[in-house]
Amino acid sequence: MTASVAAFGLLGSLVTACGALGSGGTTLRLVAPEYGDSPATSSKAYWSQLTSAFTAAHPGTKVEVTLYPWADVDREVTRMVQEGNAPDVALMGAYSDFAAQGRLYSAGELLPISEEANFLPPLAEAGTVDGALYGLPFVASSRLLFYNEELFDKAGAKPPKTWSDLKDAAEALKKEGVLYPYALPLGPEEAHAEALIWELSNGGGYTDSSNGYSIASRQNTQTFRWIKDNLVTPGLTGPVPPERLNRQDAFAAFLRGEVGMVNGYPSLLDEATKKGMKVGTLTMPVSDTLSDGKTPPSVGVADWMMAFKHDGNRELVGSFLDFVYEDKNLNEFAGRYHLLPSTVSATETSQDSATDTGNEQFLTALRTAQLYPVNDPSWLQVSNTIKQNIGKAVAPSADPKTVLEDIAQQVRVIAQQG
């Protein structure tokens, strides 16, 4: 998920306009995650404003919005589908299992060609299955390495360009008493993101050139062995074992000034700026053995809109999504949560505005980013397996190769079952 925090539990339904639900295809049901962390930042306000504007422009229509916490939304939508009560539109972290079941409209069935072509290429590619766009990217983020400039200056450290540079900087920070020279969140909250960032910086990743899973590839094994030997074992990753350090805890420590370096996204930069911190950002340093001279892609993450097929709902769903993806509406949501819009035109509009100027570097990274293999129907289960286990690869008594091979075997079973 791209939301910076878990939801605080503001649940329930928001119904716009009046009348009986399900009357002649005039009611649209949307299920979405809660992006806010307090009543003041709840997503409910955004959807209330947007759906009121939509129904005003489309007399006789109704929109029902149900919000769930991020931790629950995928499971709740899956439950609705299994019970034969799928919403018209859902916003969540995965889509391809529903596409594989033939339950979703493609973008070509709902939107004009010009709008379908307006999605940023890396996001559109990740949303495509068998040549058709089923996962409509909504908001996104990319990841960059954050470093505390004041701690770096005090330690005499330089912004790293290679893994060796990163190790040198971490050693200098440790000598100055920095609690987490490099925060390595491989805990189950979002270990799959941190792992992929490191894998890409060594020419690896979760999939190979044929789009098959390559969890235990030579490059990935080298990556985790280097992390263990050069960062974890020397005590450069802080007091909490990486397999138990979650992203939010790492971010909180960074905002307290206890972290020298951590991989982050736009909302963390916004929070740090509001606290008056001096933060530098750069692309992830590359492995010293990466000799092709090319800059590896950053990690990109997107949240996905999907439209479920129901008798008589295609026209209403198409009109609603056309409205949702208007530049002003998309940028309004992205701006609220310091995320990135998913379309070319909204991105250009966002760059032209005076707000969130710090987003430009993340937008640049997103244009060439690599996303998770979300167009594989098994990804939801695969990602959970990675999140729960990959931190073990850098544990003191572990052999990285053995851990990765164990994960790869579990992934093979999941893929075969799918």
Side-chain angles (χ1 to χ4, degrees):
M1 64 181 177
T2 61
S4 62
V5 286
F8 58 90
L10 180 66
L11 306 182
S13 297
L14 165 67
V15 181
T16 302
C18 57
L21 298 180
S23 54
T26 61
T27 296
L28 183 142
R29 294 170 55 229
L30 167 68
V31 173
E34 172 59 80
Y35 284 73
D37 61 352
S38 70
T41 61
S42 171
S43 303
K44 185 175 182 179
Y46 172 83
W47 292 115
S48 177
Q49 180 180 358
L50 182 134
T51 55
S52 293
F54 175 76
T55 55
H58 298 79
T61 62
K62 295 171 286 290
V63 179
E64 178 187 15
V65 181
T66 304
L67 302 178
Y68 289 103
W70 262 110
D72 299 336
V73 66
D74 287 11
R75 181 178 65 251
E76 289 298 323
V77 172
T78 299
R79 175 186 60 78
M80 293 177 189
V81 172
Q82 292 173 344
E83 294 175 353
N85 189 35
D88 296 287
V89 178
L91 173 60
M92 49 192 279
Y95 71 89
S96 57
D97 48 346
F98 301 127
Q101 297 166 19
R103 298 180 183 275
L104 302 181
Y105 289 114
S106 69
E109 296 174 285
L110 300 170
L111 301 174
I113 294 176
S114 59
E115 290 190 30
E116 184 178 357
N118 193 28
F119 292 110
L120 291 168
L123 305 183
E125 181 179 350
T128 297
V129 177
D130 294 333
L133 182 66
Y134 291 100
L136 308 185
F138 182 57
V139 286
S141 68
S142 58
R143 306 300 166 90
L144 295 173
L145 182 68
F146 287 42
Y147 62 96
N148 185 313
E149 292 183 348
E150 292 185 2
L151 295 181
F152 263 62
D153 290 344
K154 185 178 179 181
K158 297 180 180 179
K161 295 182 179 180
T162 66
W163 286 3
S164 291
D165 294 341
L166 188 149
K167 179 183 178 181
D168 291 344
E171 289 175 338
L173 291 162
K174 184 180 180 181
K175 288 179 181 178
E176 286 295 326
V178 176
L179 194 59
Y180 295 86
Y182 178 88
L184 183 66
L186 290 176
E189 180 188 352
E190 206 195 31
H192 61 314
E194 181 72 15
L196 183 57
I197 290 168
W198 278 94
E199 290 169 358
L200 292 176
S201 68
N202 191 35
Y206 289 138
T207 57
D208 55 27
S209 58
S210 63
N211 293 323
Y213 286 110
S214 57
I215 306 296
S217 68
R218 177 181 58 84
Q219 295 98 321
N220 292 348
T221 301
Q222 289 175 343
T223 295
F224 283 92
R225 192 174 301 281
W226 188 94
I227 294 171
K228 178 184 175 182
D229 293 345
N230 292 274
L231 296 180
V232 180
T233 300
L236 301 178
T237 55
V240 180
E243 66 269 27
R244 296 209 300 266
L245 181 64
N246 281 318
R247 176 196 59 180
Q248 281 305 311
D249 295 328
F251 283 7
F254 183 79
L255 293 172
R256 292 194 301 266
E258 299 173 352
V259 174
M261 294 173 280
V262 67
N263 282 301
Y265 44 70
S267 59
L268 178 61
L269 181 60
D270 177 72
E271 291 181 71
T273 300
K274 288 178 179 177
K275 288 178 66 70
M277 296 177 64
K278 295 181 179 179
V279 177
T281 57
L282 44 82
T283 56
M284 180 65 187
V286 298
S287 162
D288 297 78
T289 61
L290 205 62
S291 58
D292 59 10
K294 297 180 181 178
T295 301
S298 299
V299 169
V301 181
D303 300 333
W304 306 97
M305 281 278 190
M306 63 212 72
F308 287 90
K309 294 179 179 178
H310 293 293
D311 289 341
N313 76 335
R314 178 175 164 180
E315 183 177 354
L316 178 59
V317 168
S319 297
F320 180 72
L321 291 176
D322 183 61
F323 189 74
V324 167
Y325 283 98
E326 287 184 11
D327 291 348
K328 62 180 181 180
N329 294 329
L330 189 57
N331 277 327
E332 165 66 18
F333 190 92
R336 280 176 182 245
Y337 299 105
H338 305 284
L339 297 168
L340 306 177
S342 59
T343 65
V344 174
S345 59
T347 295
E348 292 172 347
T349 303
S350 176
Q351 286 180 306
D352 290 340
S353 70
T355 61
D356 277 342
T357 54
N359 278 355
E360 185 172 351
Q361 59 199 318
F362 293 97
L363 287 167
T364 299
L366 184 62
R367 291 191 182 96
T368 57
Q370 181 166 321
L371 280 75
Y372 306 130
V374 291
N375 46 11
D376 188 311
S378 66
W379 171 245
L380 194 58
Q381 286 183 271
V382 168
S383 64
N384 285 332
T385 300
I386 293 171
K387 285 187 285 187
Q388 295 296 326
N389 294 286
I390 206 158
K392 300 173 185 176
V394 298
S397 61
D399 173 44
K401 182 178 180 180
T402 300
V403 173
L404 293 181
E405 287 177 344
D406 287 346
I407 297 173
Q409 176 57 30
Q410 294 180 58
V411 168
R412 280 192 289 271
V413 172
I414 292 170
Q416 289 170 359
Q417 292 173 343

